[in-house]
Amino acid sequence: MAFQQEKQAALRILSAIEDGNLKVSETFYLLEDVDPTLVYFIFAWIRAWYPSSHPAADGVLGRLSDLCTQYPKAARMAKEGESDSLVTWFEDQFGYRDLRNHEFIDLVVEKLEG
């Protein structure tokens, strides 16, 4: 059950940044207690899926930028999570664009919690 709650929380954060369905403050509130490695993974996945050529890139990356600007702790968390050995494992095995959002979150949460 804990895995499901973690996955739902991670998907809610990712959706908030992708779709803009939460205020920046609400997104940060969700992010605040998440493992820094998961924060890094979510940010890296978003950056991979929304290159500047993507039609939604301005909105999605703008929300990510707003989150990190208004709440510098979010950027610090992602930076901290980047050094986790799980990131190296993932990046050696996969590309961020190899997995859709649900598949990606399922994989990384299970690895983080396993």
Side-chain angles (χ1 to χ4, degrees):
M1 188 62 164
F3 285 152
Q4 279 307 109
Q5 290 172 339
E6 291 286 330
K7 289 175 186 179
Q8 288 174 344
L11 283 169
R12 190 159 181 220
I13 293 164
L14 190 127
S15 174
I17 297 169
E18 277 189 298
D19 303 330
N21 55 9
L22 293 176
K23 295 177 186 175
V24 173
S25 60
E26 294 169 323
T27 303
F28 179 71
Y29 178 76
L30 294 174
L31 192 75
E32 212 170 9
D33 295 323
V34 171
D35 183 307
T37 305
L38 184 56
V39 174
Y40 173 79
F41 274 131
I42 290 171
F43 288 8
W45 186 91
I46 287 170
R47 287 185 183 110
W49 275 88
Y50 294 93
S52 60
S53 60
H54 191 286
D58 287 347
V60 175
L61 297 177
R63 284 187 288 279
L64 181 59
S65 177
D66 289 347
L67 175 64
C68 292
T69 300
Q70 292 179 35
Y71 297 92
K73 182 180 178 184
R76 287 192 302 271
M77 289 173 73
K79 185 67 175 162
E80 178 186 335
E82 182 178 15
S83 62
D84 191 292
S85 61
L86 190 57
V87 171
T88 304
W89 167 82
F90 179 86
E91 291 176 351
D92 285 347
Q93 300 294 316
F94 302 95
Y96 287 94
R97 290 187 53 90
D98 291 347
L99 302 167
R100 306 290 279 162
N101 56 3
H102 288 281
E103 299 168 316
F104 174 73
I105 294 298
D106 283 349
L107 177 67
V108 298
V109 168
E110 288 189 25
K111 287 293 185 181
L112 282 168
E113 300 298 323

